[in-house]
């Protein structure tokens, strides 16, 4: 087996090869969308996020210091489960805490605590009292907030944007979108926070919010790198 290949229990018939794509794909492990670095079987059109391809048997998360999350290939139990990070349903691979009942998508569990978008750092919080730039609401899911405290984005809102705009990947039968008919919306026309600044500063604020969104999307999709953030930028209308 080559250095860039792995064997995986969910796809025993073939090895998976490390790959990179700028076309969104649906992970066959967690059933969520991904982009960028991942593992793939080209014979079967089978894809896994890197976090799903090489999971940890158990993890601890700073937001839940008393919890021990175990990796499961399917949601435990018979009742529907949702991710405590993004509030989206769990339908595949999951990290689950038996004692507390909390669940995390693999990519949500591995979200970086700090993102550097080139202009300012974005810090991951379990709860933020400031309103989200997308929905205008406080609290809700995990959030990324800038060090200057001007920009706040719910992880749940980012997930909803992806579901709304990439429905054929989430709900359709196609594995990849060769031509994106529905592109990712920017935040320029969706900022809920009122501005009391001059027009030039409003434009700069919107641009920085859009840049922040690019990095948060790349993290949620499983590849929080500057390269992928740039790719996301090209997909934003």
């Amino acid at each position: 087996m080559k250095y860039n290949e792995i064997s995986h229990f969910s796809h025993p018939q073939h090895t998976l090869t490390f790959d990179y794509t700028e076309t969104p794909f649906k992970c066959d492990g967690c059933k969520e969308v991904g982009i960028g670095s991942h593992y793939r079987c080209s014979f079967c059109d089978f894809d896994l996020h890197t976090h799903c391809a090489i999971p940890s048997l158990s993890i601890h998360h700073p937001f839940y210091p008393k919890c021990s999350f175990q990796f499961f290939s399917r949601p435990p139990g018979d009742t529907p489960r949702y991710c405590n990070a993004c509030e989206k349903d769990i339908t595949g691979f999951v990290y689950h805490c038996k004692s507390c009942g909390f669940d995390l998508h693999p990519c949500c569990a591995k979200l970086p605590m700090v993102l550097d978008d080139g202009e300012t750092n974005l810090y991951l919080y379990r709860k933020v009292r400031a309103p989200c730039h997308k929905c205008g609401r406080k609290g809700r899911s995990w959030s990324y907030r800038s060090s200057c405290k001007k920009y706040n984005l719910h992880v749940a809102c980012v997930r909803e944007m992806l579901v709304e705009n990439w429905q054929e990947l989430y709900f359709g039968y196609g594995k990849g979108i060769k031509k994106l008919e529905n592109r990712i919306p920017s935040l320029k026309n969706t900022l809920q926070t009122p501005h009391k600044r001059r027009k030039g500063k409003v434009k700069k604020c919107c641009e920085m919010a859009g840049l922040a969104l690019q990095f948060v999307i790349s993290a949620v999709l499983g590849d929080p790198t500057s390269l992928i953030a740039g790719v996301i930028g090209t997909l934003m209308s």
Side-chain angles (χ1 to χ4, degrees), residues 58-74:
S58 64
I59 62 169
H60 291 82
H61 198 280
F63 289 169
Y64 307 100
K66 297 181 180 180
C67 294
S68 177
F69 290 89
Q70 309 298 316
F71 177 79
F72 286 82
S73 60
R74 63 185 64 182

Side-chain angles (χ1 to χ4, degrees), residues 14-71:
H14 300 110
T15 58
L16 304 180
T17 304
F18 183 79
D19 194 18
Y20 169 85
T21 178
E22 296 183 359
T23 300
F25 63 89
K26 186 171 184 177
C27 175
D28 289 287
C30 66
K31 314 303 181 186
E32 296 296 317
V33 170
I35 198 171
S37 301
H38 67 295
Y39 283 86
R40 172 172 175 79
C41 174
S42 57
F43 296 107
C44 304
D45 199 17
F46 184 92
D47 301 277
L48 291 177
H49 290 116
T50 301
H51 296 315
C52 293
I54 312 176
S56 303
L57 292 179
S58 64
I59 62 169
H60 291 82
H61 198 280
F63 289 169
Y64 307 100
K66 297 181 180 180
C67 294
S68 177
F69 290 89
Q70 309 298 316
F71 177 79

Side-chain angles (χ1 to χ4, degrees), residues 78-236:
D78 299 324
T79 59
R81 311 198 67 85
Y82 71 94
C83 177
N84 287 90
C86 70
E87 297 186 336
K88 196 171 181 292
D89 290 342
I90 300 284
T91 57
F93 291 1
V94 61
Y95 284 104
H96 172 73
C97 177
K98 293 182 180 179
S99 60
C100 299
F102 294 143
D103 299 281
L104 297 172
H105 288 121
C107 286
C108 289
K110 300 297 180 69
L111 283 173
M113 298 303 292
V114 182
L115 291 171
D116 181 0
D117 71 357
E119 294 282 348
T120 184
N121 286 337
L122 301 166
Y123 294 90
L124 186 63
Y125 290 86
R126 185 177 176 182
K127 292 287 185 182
V128 175
R129 294 181 179 179
C132 170
H133 270 72
K134 178 64 173 68
C135 70
R137 291 154 51 189
K138 301 178 182 179
R140 200 184 180 189
S141 71
W142 292 7
S143 299
Y144 273 105
R145 191 180 191 187
S146 64
S147 53
C148 64
K149 299 183 179 179
K150 294 179 181 178
Y151 317 110
N152 173 44
L153 288 167
H154 290 141
V155 173
C157 288
V158 173
R159 282 279 189 205
E160 287 175 358
M161 291 172 64
L162 296 176
V163 172
E164 289 171 2
N165 291 275
W166 290 348
Q167 290 191 25
E168 54 261 70
L169 262 184
Y170 275 99
F171 305 114
Y173 296 98
K175 284 284 294 177
I177 302 176
K178 301 305 180 184
K179 181 180 179 182
L180 287 173
E181 301 295 342
N182 295 311
R183 301 167 71 85
I184 303 172
S186 73
L187 283 184
K188 289 184 178 180
N189 298 317
T190 60
L191 286 173
Q192 299 294 328
T193 304
H195 295 280
K196 296 181 180 179
R197 302 179 179 90
R198 291 176 297 180
K199 185 177 297 186
K201 291 188 176 181
V202 172
K203 180 180 180 181
K204 179 64 175 177
C205 179
C206 292
E207 290 175 352
M208 292 185 66
L211 184 61
L213 176 63
Q214 292 172 215
F215 273 80
V216 175
I217 289 176
S218 68
V220 168
L221 291 178
D223 195 342
T225 60
S226 297
L227 177 61
I228 289 300
V231 172
I232 296 299
T234 65
L235 299 179
M236 292 171 64

